[in-house]
Amino acid sequence: MERGTGRGIMQASISQIKDMAEWAGLLKQSAYSWHGHSMEYQEIIQMNDQRHDRWFNFLIVVEGEKYLFAGELFNNCLYSQEKYYAGLIPLDSFEHIETAILVVKDIAKKLNAERVVLSYLETDKVLELILPKLAFKASISPQWQSASVMQVNDYEMIWDHVYPSKTRNMIRRSWKSLEFREINILDHVGDAVDCTWSKPERHGSVMPVYYRDERAYKDRQERIAEILGEQAVSFGAFHKGKLIAYINTIRSHNEAIISNLLSNVNYYQHAPNNGLFDFMIKHYCKDAEIKQLMYSFDGVASVDKFKHSMGFKPLRVIRCVFEL
């Protein structure tokens, strides 16, 4: 049920959105939104993140216009979800930014939060709008994150001008001994789990059980396939018929999201990651609806080094921290 919050702002449950066209319109309406996700992707995120029971999802109506917001309440702080919607309110003026902040403050107060971290006051395109104003607001401080993205529209240009020479040589090495193809990951569950067990601890933590157990892995991938249908696209690298590396991606509006990449460390001498990424990039350059790839946020040095070597560029995303 909708309820007023003052200043003409109304809130309603996001579950009321049933029309896919309406969802797509909401995601695309923000002038600087670059990270629009499909409705199905939201369900995948919640399934993959054990924190989802702390999330609050809102459809916000401001003077007849509808906007999306998702937040997580943790330690008395309300965080807007980076992996959720980018477009809260069209950010073509500082007045719109202030409206966004007021809306989120209202939500935070109802949840008894003491602080707010509001991400996706979009990209550095709003820098000239927001920083001069924020300089006079002691309670608000801007921060920045980097998300890695890559434009995919011309493969020849990427090969000639985006890949450094070392990356091209690694890709050529992979061609000598590996085969690459689009796959149904459910046909290769055993080999996929072998990729995990070749190095179960990655980036400082042990991989979740649903990557290490064949039954759990199969159940999870079946659920993802049920939700996403043709939006789920996977790619595999093979050595003598064995899957030694794979990438799962999600087609989401104008963007393909790399949900995970895993490879068997026993085959690193064949450069499977480089060859597989090249194969995926070539695939999406042929996909007329996909304009860019998104490969998570920067922060893990080894992963950042790899994805930047493959042509992904950091895109700065502003966050604002303020006390209530």
Side-chain angles (χ1 to χ4, degrees):
M1 178 177 294
E2 295 188 350
R3 60 188 184 278
T5 66
R7 294 189 296 277
I9 299 170
M10 304 291 290
Q11 295 173 7
S13 170
I14 203 168
S15 63
Q16 294 174 355
I17 306 175
K18 303 297 183 183
D19 188 311
M20 292 298 291
E22 181 182 7
W23 180 273
L26 287 167
L27 289 171
K28 291 178 179 178
Q29 70 186 359
S30 177
Y32 300 132
S33 179
W34 62 273
H35 197 187
H37 290 148
S38 66
M39 187 180 294
E40 291 87 349
Y41 187 52
Q42 313 312 321
E43 189 170 348
I44 295 297
I45 290 173
Q46 296 215 22
M47 186 173 71
N48 284 335
D49 197 321
Q50 300 304 310
R51 304 173 303 168
H52 65 80
D53 57 347
R54 299 202 301 262
W55 291 359
F56 297 86
N57 306 314
F58 295 95
L59 171 64
I60 301 169
V61 185
V62 182
E63 297 180 354
E65 296 295 326
K66 296 179 180 179
Y67 308 100
L68 298 171
F69 175 72
E72 176 188 359
L73 186 64
F74 183 68
N75 287 342
N76 296 321
C77 182
L78 178 65
Y79 296 85
S80 64
Q81 275 295 329
E82 284 105 355
K83 294 182 179 179
Y84 250 53
Y85 334 110
L88 175 61
I89 289 178
L91 299 176
D92 52 5
S93 72
F94 187 75
E95 288 67 31
H96 277 147
I97 294 171
E98 285 193 311
T99 301
I101 292 173
L102 290 174
V103 170
V104 177
K105 276 189 173 182
D106 278 344
I107 294 171
K109 288 177 181 177
K110 291 179 181 299
L111 299 174
N112 296 317
E114 298 174 358
R115 297 175 64 246
V116 174
V117 176
L118 178 59
S119 298
Y120 288 168
L121 288 180
E122 306 304 286
T123 68
D124 54 0
K125 296 177 183 178
V126 304
L127 180 62
E128 62 186 33
L129 291 173
I130 195 169
L131 287 189
K133 300 280 188 175
L134 290 181
F136 299 101
K137 293 180 178 290
S139 63
I140 303 176
S141 58
Q143 299 176 348
W144 296 92
Q145 280 190 301
S146 291
S148 280
V149 299
M150 181 179 189
Q151 305 304 310
V152 283
N153 47 25
D154 184 340
Y155 176 75
E156 286 70 25
M157 186 277 294
I158 291 172
W159 179 267
D160 291 333
H161 302 292
V162 175
Y163 292 159
S165 59
K166 182 178 179 180
T167 294
R168 291 195 295 269
N169 289 336
M170 295 288 283
I171 294 169
R172 292 188 184 102
R173 183 201 301 180
S174 73
W175 291 344
K176 294 179 181 179
S177 55
L178 303 181
E179 174 193 359
F180 304 98
R181 62 177 184 263
E182 185 177 338
I183 62 171
N184 180 343
I185 194 64
L186 288 169
D187 294 335
H188 306 280
V189 170
D191 286 346
V193 172
D194 281 349
C195 288
T196 303
W197 275 109
S198 71
K199 188 181 179 183
E201 181 177 318
R202 301 184 192 226
H203 314 310
S205 61
V206 176
M207 295 290 287
V209 67
Y210 49 81
Y211 283 101
R212 293 180 282 122
D213 177 82
E214 289 192 22
R215 180 69 258 174
Y217 187 92
K218 184 173 184 293
D219 289 345
R220 195 173 192 83
Q221 294 301 323
E222 285 177 343
R223 176 64 177 141
I224 290 174
E226 178 184 347
I227 295 170
L228 291 176
E230 294 182 354
Q231 289 178 276
V233 185
S234 298
F235 308 90
F238 293 83
H239 182 263
K240 298 181 180 179
K242 177 180 176 63
L243 180 79
I244 63 165
Y246 67 94
I247 302 174
N248 292 332
T249 67
I250 299 172
R251 298 179 76 261
S252 185
H253 293 290
N254 296 322
E255 181 177 68
I257 301 154
I258 297 162
S259 62
N260 60 321
L261 159 67
L262 281 176
S263 55
N264 193 314
V265 299
N266 298 315
Y267 297 86
Y268 272 6
Q269 68 272 24
H270 300 284
N273 294 345
N274 299 89
L276 188 55
F277 253 71
D278 175 68
F279 183 82
M280 175 196 66
I281 289 166
K282 185 184 297 184
H283 171 92
Y284 278 118
C285 281
K286 297 176 182 178
D287 190 325
E289 295 183 8
I290 300 300
K291 306 304 181 186
Q292 72 177 19
L293 302 177
M294 192 274 185
Y295 190 5
S296 188
F297 289 86
D298 291 352
V300 179
S302 59
V303 177
D304 296 345
K305 181 179 179 181
F306 169 73
K307 59 189 176 184
H308 296 162
S309 76
M310 293 302 303
F312 285 77
K313 302 294 184 184
L315 174 66
R316 294 204 306 167
V317 180
I318 195 169
R319 313 172 80 200
C320 282
V321 183
F322 52 92
E323 304 291 334
L324 296 181

